[in-house]
Amino acid sequence: MQTSACIFDLDGVIVDTARYHFLAWKRLTDQLGIHFTEEDNERLKGVSRIASLDIILEIGKVNADENQKHEYATRKNKWYVEYISKMTPDEILPGSLAFIKELRNAGIRVAIGSASKNTPMILERVGISELFDAVADGNIVKRAKPDPEVFLKAAELLDIEPQRCVVFEDAVAGVQAALNAGMMCIGIGSPGILKKAQFVISGLNEMNLMKLRILENEIRS
Ligand code: B16
Ligand code: MG
């Protein structure tokens, strides 16, 4: 079965916003007296904002009620938005634009499937809002990855069956979400971490349509 649509995670696949998330969480954890490292930040990739905060509070062994949690998450997001509002098109990861344009020229539909509620601002800042046929993000889905909701929503918006979609994902929870959606998944990162992805590359600069066609034949046959 041939691929009719590609769904891209945003953070870690098309842009590297993990460092901005880290800087913003670090400002919060410094204020709360929690020791938070870049290694800890790895655990937050692909995880929703509030679930990320829960992990951080658990690391710091800090208790907080719902009101406090809401205030902490809002404080962090305010700083995060300050950082991403200064993003430029130079921050698009290598190979992303060329691959997405190649897909579009071949009639393959393209969508975003991201946990981030800041997806529209990021796409706008880096100048690629017009590039996607559909955007499924944290503003329209309720259940966080590894739940398949975000990818199923993207497929629905594109009007393409899940079995004809390929997901590109950098987070363990995101790879699982793609598989749960019944989609083929190509991991972006390390094969040692993204163990369940059917194939792993280090970035979209390693992908092109011919390679995708070869992979789908191997994986779907
Ligand atoms: P926001 P993705 C995810 O984006 C990030 O990887 C994760 O670190 C972040 O907590 C989450 O978005 C929510 O982001 O606070 O902007 O709503 O990888 O699914 O594109
Ligand atoms: Mg990601």
Side-chain angles (χ1 to χ4, degrees), residues 9-11 21 44-49 52 76-77 80 113-118 145 170:
D9 173 54
L10 182 61
D11 295 347
H21 280 295
L44 312 184
K45 286 189 177 171
V47 177
S48 73
R49 192 181 310 164
S52 299
K76 178 266 176 178
N77 192 56
Y80 178 67
S114 168
S116 176
K117 292 185 173 174
N118 292 300
K145 300 169 186 176
D170 72 314

